[in-house]
Amino acid sequence: MRPSARQADELRPITIARQYTKHAEGSVLVSFGDTQVICTASVEEQIPRFLKGAGQGWITAEYGMLPRSTTDRMGREAARGKQGGRTLEIQRLIGRSLRAAVDLKRLGERTITLDCDVIQADGGTRTASITGACVALVDAINHTRSLGLLDDDPMLNMVASVSVGVYNGEPVLDLDYAEDSNAETDMNVVMNDQGGFIEVQGTAEGAAYSRDELNAMLDLAQQGIAQIIQIQKQVLND
Amino acid sequence: MRPSARQADELRPITIARQYTKHAEGSVLVSFGDTQVICTASVEEQIPRFLKGAGQGWITAEYGMLPRSTTDRMGREAARGKQGGRTLEIQRLIGRSLRAAVDLKRLGERTITLDCDVIQADGGTRTASITGACVALVDAINHTRSLGLLDDDPMLNMVASVSVGVYNGEPVLDLDYAEDSNAETDMNVVMNDQGGFIEVQGTAEGAAYSRDELNAMLDLAQQGIAQIIQIQKQVLND
Amino acid sequence: MRPSARQADELRPITIARQYTKHAEGSVLVSFGDTQVICTASVEEQIPRFLKGAGQGWITAEYGMLPRSTTDRMGREAARGKQGGRTLEIQRLIGRSLRAAVDLKRLGERTITLDCDVIQADGGTRTASITGACVALVDAINHTRSLGLLDDDPMLNMVASVSVGVYNGEPVLDLDYAEDSNAETDMNVVMNDQGGFIEVQGTAEGAAYSRDELNAMLDLAQQGIAQIIQIQKQVLND
Amino acid sequence: MRPSARQADELRPITIARQYTKHAEGSVLVSFGDTQVICTASVEEQIPRFLKGAGQGWITAEYGMLPRSTTDRMGREAARGKQGGRTLEIQRLIGRSLRAAVDLKRLGERTITLDCDVIQADGGTRTASITGACVALVDAINHTRSLGLLDDDPMLNMVASVSVGVYNGEPVLDLDYAEDSNAETDMNVVMNDQGGFIEVQGTAEGAAYSRDELNAMLDLAQQGIAQIIQIQKQVLND
Amino acid sequence: MRPSARQADELRPITIARQYTKHAEGSVLVSFGDTQVICTASVEEQIPRFLKGAGQGWITAEYGMLPRSTTDRMGREAARGKQGGRTLEIQRLIGRSLRAAVDLKRLGERTITLDCDVIQADGGTRTASITGACVALVDAINHTRSLGLLDDDPMLNMVASVSVGVYNGEPVLDLDYAEDSNAETDMNVVMNDQGGFIEVQGTAEGAAYSRDELNAMLDLAQQGIAQIIQIQKQVLND
Amino acid sequence: MRPSARQADELRPITIARQYTKHAEGSVLVSFGDTQVICTASVEEQIPRFLKGAGQGWITAEYGMLPRSTTDRMGREAARGKQGGRTLEIQRLIGRSLRAAVDLKRLGERTITLDCDVIQADGGTRTASITGACVALVDAINHTRSLGLLDDDPMLNMVASVSVGVYNGEPVLDLDYAEDSNAETDMNVVMNDQGGFIEVQGTAEGAAYSRDELNAMLDLAQQGIAQIIQIQKQVLND
């Protein structure tokens, strides 16, 4: 029995509100249950120094948590003077995942920065961030195209993410905080809408996991992400 | 004529939504027109080192802007590795202002941290922050009292804030970004609900201002803050 | 009765020694009683990046305190690896105040940096800094003109500053440390020699202050600054 | 055909030299082909603050690369003033992996720090680090036991790691730099000597990878790690 | 011929003004010609963590230059967020030198911090700092003794310093900036009043120097420091 | 009697292994007894900003210690976020010393960075670093010449270094850690192969040292460095 009384293969309610703030070219509030993240996509007509002359664009991401998005208040990273290892790891993951959604040559010499700021955390903030950022990215690209700055659509495919894990000995989908903090294994999976894997990151928290458990978790992730991509597409059609 | 077509003494629509996120002891979303700030109040049963043995509590504040809360994307302070001068100045102002609302002896040996994070900026983020933080503070104190941790109410009075300025030669109330970025003078005023001044900060942006202009701005601020405190009290009664 | 036995409207002895050090284009030692600040004005024939192409110059300021300028030794900011919030706030104030003294277009594409380093602190270091920096600025501009680099005088007016406060219930002028650390209200005022206000920053330290007290403090500041500007002008005529 | 002319399932020559430096309780030089890493295990009779009172020990890791361990010189992280995201990510992975090898309760209230410093890089530095660190860890624990400080052996199992990837469309084992920098997919796998998975991190560098490719890579990793653990055990028996 | 027309073995005018600022237990303004340094000695009744239980005191030093103490304005170290290598090197030298003047056991469990802040630089700022700091140190120790906190005098001897160098092929004493910036060799020597060497630091700036030149420089330093110690003693007797 | 039973004028066994790692243009492992340092020389076809237009090259150095190169583990400087004063002092010394070996004009507009990373420390790491770096530098310059990038040999002379000290009242050569940590005086000397002095840095650790002791130490250093330069030349001839 899961703390939330969900079935093992049941997602939390997932919502994605577009045009959440007014300044960004793409801006959504994504919720995976009580986990809420503001994802904005900002288009800038310049590229990072290391791409000078490469004739392509860039997608990058930054991640943050409001200090009281968590049960106990966390120190503000800006005040401590550096981003922690977990933050850097997550924003690198978000950036890599979304670059896999875009043809960077076709994007042209511009940078899209995906800012994922967690307003309220209840497990799965990185998977919600990737999922929401992809919708914000589509909106930002469409906005850029509507300005006539970009002829071809550089989007290759949608990208979405979900966590899976082994909780009380059973593989489960989309862990909330109550599960996540007690899971034996925690795995984050990123896939595209053609069923391809972008990223698999599975960590044994206590005991090691078997190849069978790994397979069961991957099965759950595949079907969960397929549902999430449906939600993304529906939201983009509204 | 103001860009927003408001009267010189007219506030923007001000709303304060309580219990905006679930973890903090106090949590509001405050809007002054399109300026939106999440203010949370976090209660911790400890005091800063410099107050050891002083037999009192502490109120402090931190302020941040989401990178794309602004028209153009701002660098994330956590990534740059330090908070800028403007940020430090604003969070010091918020902290000072809210300390003036509380009897720190009566608060007991605990710290309340007010985190003000700007989701969307359109002028007046510091005045909205102070106004919202005061409501979050009341909720956090009431929550602490409901737990039986605090007998007497340490709130001395409500505190609220508004900006005033000279725009096109005329003193106006509650400047939005269109006005703020072109004002000759910009003044932030913090007052309590007994008509006392907590803070006055007036800066000539271009030409210096006269004593008469200063007086006219203070008049506007006094009546504007009186209205804002009405809104705070109404929201707290709901 | 003030600790210094001064009248409520009486300034401390104010002296400004010009050409205090030999390298800077302008260099003064300013004393407000026991508060002593070295103010240097350095002219550099370049402008900050954000002004490229704007066809104007820039005035900026930095502020520091020698570690033992204070009663107890303060940690050196260079050793701690960052400037504190108070330092940033003060140097932003000094910079803004002096920019109000100069026509930046007429200054041409050069930067003047005002370094205010407190040798000995006894209250009012920021007001002494602004007052001394203005004299150093005039010397630096005259030096630049004497080199034939600058035809028109870009000085618009003199700028000076003083603190006022409410001490033991009475509004007083130019607080020293003994008063400052016990004042109910502390206000720093910056004005120009045409009677215009550049900056007003008033903070209730304990109780809030009334509009009447605010007016009384402004009256004191106006007459005090008028005297200080007399001293500046006299010193520049020597 | 692999650049190194190896078979798809062929490891590079792997050597582990023990007692490589004289001060550390455990110290090895591990080589995966031309990749060379010094791994030291340092035992300290104290625990991090967050474990006070938990009655257990701690294993942590730090990772670095000598500036010229790489083809082009990399900036020294100590000189740049911070560890990059990749470094933090790798040292978090090493720490997590080795904690899965040890019963932290049985370790007692002491900390073992695993320092992995890359002398020469040719792909797979993190997998070599984990593999070498495990041998250094065993030596450090045996040294601690030989001093009579530790009765029971806290080692639960050996841990080793290898990379797998898809290169030119074919799944291959233990990528060197020539392959790694051109692979379509790169996966790092950490397992224990009972065949359990500790960590799986697979990243699509260009195109996404299919479930079949994922399975083929996991097969390769399982057999490669089994061989590496043989080498570890042999070295420890010498 | 030296730029200053001094003899090869001639010091610049050296003055040491005591009680230069009012808060520090010892405070001097030392001048070696146009080089001017404020040296304060601050006594704190605590010791650094690494000396807990050692039953001794500590002497440490910090060094800084006002941004416009030099011909061209230098960036402020506090603003840049770190002390440069030259600064750290100099303050380590000052601290080591002064520790050689004191019996740290007899000092008792207290720390004396010597802050040397250069107001105006014209070569030899580190030698002037050491020389002035020694006088400030004596004053601070005498002040501590006058409070009855310290029975025995912990001063072992006076310490002073001077630079020597090879300029235009000739060994010279006490280089000013015009010489220092063109010298072939620059050597700083610290000695005590019993003729013992505390520190010798000689650097070939261009060509290497011979043993004969080294000897000649040491001869000059010995007689120069003897004179400087006379000045210190005279000043302390006033 | 020295702890190592060496004669007062006896060096430890000194070895210099060339081509120690494969990427750097010059790379050696230098050993002075148990002190082991990897020295690499990296050639980059660019110059630092402050040499733009000067028509010359640059030699610079960086120094680091592996955390467990020492008896007790030292914190990693990259993790602490800055290089300590000792590190900066040593790398400045290495850079200055090696610049004295090269005609920077003849080097052309390129930079050679000498990275000295201590693998195992047993006293004298800075003198081993300078000695090894000089051999790596020669290899890097010869490599650059072999590529046809550099016609004339910019090497002016070989440079080597050794420590001397007073231990148990007797001047001794090449102190190991057991001596170094108990020496009354510690002096590092850098010389070239023509008998010229590049750097002399002598520090009294406890008592001051006399001119006679200074002379005796310099005598030891001169003959020790002569032997070390023989070893460098032999190694380069192999």
Side-chain angles (χ1 to χ4, degrees), chain A residues 82-90 92-93 96 100 126 187 192 195-211 214-216 218-219 222, chain D residues 82-90 92-93 96 100 126 187 192 195-211 214-216 218-219 222:
Chain A
K82 66 174 174 178
Q83 295 177 295
R86 177 183 170 278
T87 294
L88 291 172
E89 202 170 302
I90 291 176
R92 285 160 56 93
L93 170 64
R96 273 200 312 274
R126 80 190 72 187
M187 178 174 286
N192 65 22
F197 288 87
I198 308 296
E199 190 99 18
V200 172
Q201 293 196 344
T203 301
E205 299 290 342
Y209 52 95
S210 67
R211 181 75 182 263
L214 175 49
N215 286 335
L218 290 169
D219 291 342
Q222 280 179 297
Chain D
K82 64 173 176 179
Q83 296 178 293
R86 177 184 171 276
T87 295
L88 291 173
E89 201 169 303
I90 292 175
R92 283 159 58 91
L93 170 65
R96 271 199 313 273
R126 80 190 72 187
M187 179 174 285
N192 65 23
F197 288 87
I198 308 296
E199 189 100 17
V200 172
Q201 293 196 344
T203 300
E205 300 289 342
Y209 52 96
S210 67
R211 181 75 183 261
L214 175 50
N215 286 335
L218 290 168
D219 291 342
Q222 278 178 298

Side-chain angles (χ1 to χ4, degrees), chain C residues 9-21:
Chain C
D9 64 352
E10 187 182 345
L11 293 168
R12 291 178 283 181
I14 291 177
T15 61
I16 304 172
R18 289 164 64 200
Q19 293 171 311
Y20 187 68
T21 58

